[in-house]
Amino acid sequence: MMHAARRGLSLAELLVAMAISTIVLGGAVAAIGMAGRTFQSATSGLQATPALDGLARMSADLELALRFEERTATGVAFYVPDRTGDGAPDLLRYAWGGNDGDPITLSLNGSPASTVVPSVSGMSLAYLVASVPADPMWAVPTPSVSDTKVFDRGYTGSGTVHTLSLMSSVAAIIQPVPGGSDNRFRVTRAKVRMQGKALGSDVSIALHRVNMMTARPDPAAIVATTVRQADLPDTMQDVEVELPNTVEFSEGDFIAIVVSQNLVTSAGEVALEPSPQYLTDGWIATTDLLGQWKINATKDLAIQVYAETWETP
């Protein structure tokens, strides 16, 4: 049987094939080069090591999220497994200020934020939300909140009185003991032992932070309320006021409850108690004719302070 002879490529056909291969290869190389340049351009702003490290940290934390508390375009807050050693999940919050050049920051359990990625031009977070069955192993304990007496300087009648006037306010500087497992508190109300005076004026009771460098109240009040002169008792009694503030304090913090008057006339009198433990759990400060605070190391204000406290199961 005769077999047909195999036909080879002519020189012209070989040259044409080589030319086509060169064009295809050149196109592939060009495409790879364009992709590389595009990637380099897209990531040129992330070449700084702090930025890459910060984004990697944020991504790693998000992978451990147990439950989200906040999901916005510029901020995300979520619980992660215990990081502080108290056995309870901890709350992380990443946020961007919203202005060109603002950093991305991170706070832990509401603490002051630290910078994670400096000088960010823009950030817009998007979320894909899906419903999944609850897993008791990853449930975040919900703290119980209770109204608790956190400081009590009981009235004994063994002290003196302080007469309020335009130039003579008094401040109880105290260290509340919140108790509870969270060791946090939010002051809600106070009882001050006081009485009104004939032709007196309204009384202001305010919550202040304490400047521990000077042991005196900060000038600005966190929250204040007024007791009308008509509501002041004629004899020395506990006067209760609401202090609906939103500021949280921690165990060990000192606070100041400032009692002052609103008008020139004498407002009333508050009861003072002996102070055998100066600088241990409280003292008072009073103002002089110039309105400057001065410490009284021998007296305390007869006062009771109540606060919201937290107990984590």
Side-chain angles (χ1 to χ4, degrees):
M1 178 182 292
M2 299 291 293
H3 294 277
R6 293 183 178 177
R7 180 178 175 276
L9 292 174
S10 67
L11 179 60
E13 289 173 328
L14 182 60
L15 291 174
V16 171
M18 292 176 63
I20 293 174
S21 298
T22 302
I23 293 172
V24 173
L25 182 61
V29 172
I32 293 172
M34 290 178 63
R37 287 192 296 274
T38 301
F39 177 80
Q40 182 179 11
S41 175
T43 59
S44 60
L46 299 177
Q47 294 304 309
T49 298
L52 290 174
D53 290 346
L55 293 177
R57 177 182 180 184
M58 181 176 176
S59 177
D61 284 339
L62 282 166
E63 291 181 1
L64 299 175
L66 304 178
R67 188 184 77 191
F68 286 84
E69 292 289 301
E70 174 189 348
R71 292 194 301 263
T72 66
T74 58
V76 58
F78 52 94
Y79 283 94
V80 295
D82 178 29
R83 294 191 177 181
T84 56
D86 61 0
D90 292 304
L91 181 64
L92 303 182
R93 183 175 188 269
Y94 285 91
W96 176 60
N99 299 311
D100 186 3
D102 286 346
I104 296 176
T105 60
L106 169 64
S107 64
L108 173 65
N109 296 326
S111 63
S114 59
T115 297
V116 175
V117 181
S119 189
V120 175
S121 297
M123 180 177 78
S124 181
L125 300 175
Y127 306 89
L128 179 62
V129 180
S131 298
V132 296
D135 185 346
M137 290 184 61
W138 298 104
V140 178
T142 301
S144 59
V145 181
S146 60
D147 186 65
T148 307
K149 183 189 293 185
V150 294
F151 187 88
D152 187 356
R153 180 76 71 209
Y155 175 69
T156 65
S158 61
T160 57
V161 298
H162 178 85
T163 301
L164 299 171
S165 67
L166 186 63
M167 294 297 180
S168 186
S169 301
V170 61
I173 301 176
I174 60 177
Q175 187 179 46
V177 180
S181 60
D182 281 11
N183 296 323
R184 295 178 295 150
F185 64 95
R186 183 188 293 124
V187 176
T188 55
R189 56 195 175 100
K191 292 181 181 179
V192 180
R193 193 83 174 185
M194 61 188 305
Q195 65 183 15
K197 295 185 67 175
L199 303 177
S201 64
D202 297 346
V203 172
S204 173
I205 300 179
L207 170 66
H208 292 244
R209 294 184 185 275
V210 176
N211 183 335
M212 294 308 297
M213 297 295 294
T214 63
R216 291 160 172 80
D218 280 349
I222 296 173
V223 63
T225 190
T226 298
V227 181
R228 296 172 56 248
Q229 190 273 337
D231 296 329
L232 291 171
D234 295 331
T235 58
M236 197 65 73
Q237 297 179 31
D238 288 336
V239 175
E240 181 172 348
V241 296
E242 300 291 330
L243 295 170
N245 89 100
T246 59
V247 177
E248 291 183 9
F249 294 90
S250 299
E251 183 172 8
D253 290 343
F254 281 86
I255 64 169
I257 304 293
V258 176
V259 185
S260 57
Q261 72 168 59
N262 293 348
L263 298 176
V264 176
T265 57
S266 178
E269 297 177 333
V270 294
L272 301 181
E273 290 292 321
S275 178
Q277 294 181 304
Y278 173 60
L279 288 181
T280 300
D281 61 354
W283 61 92
I284 67 167
T286 56
T287 53
D288 57 22
L289 293 178
L290 298 178
Q292 301 296 315
W293 288 107
K294 58 182 180 180
I295 294 175
N296 187 324
T298 64
K299 301 292 181 182
D300 285 325
L301 194 65
I303 187 173
Q304 300 172 51
V305 177
Y306 296 78
E308 288 183 345
T309 59
W310 290 264
E311 183 79 35
T312 300

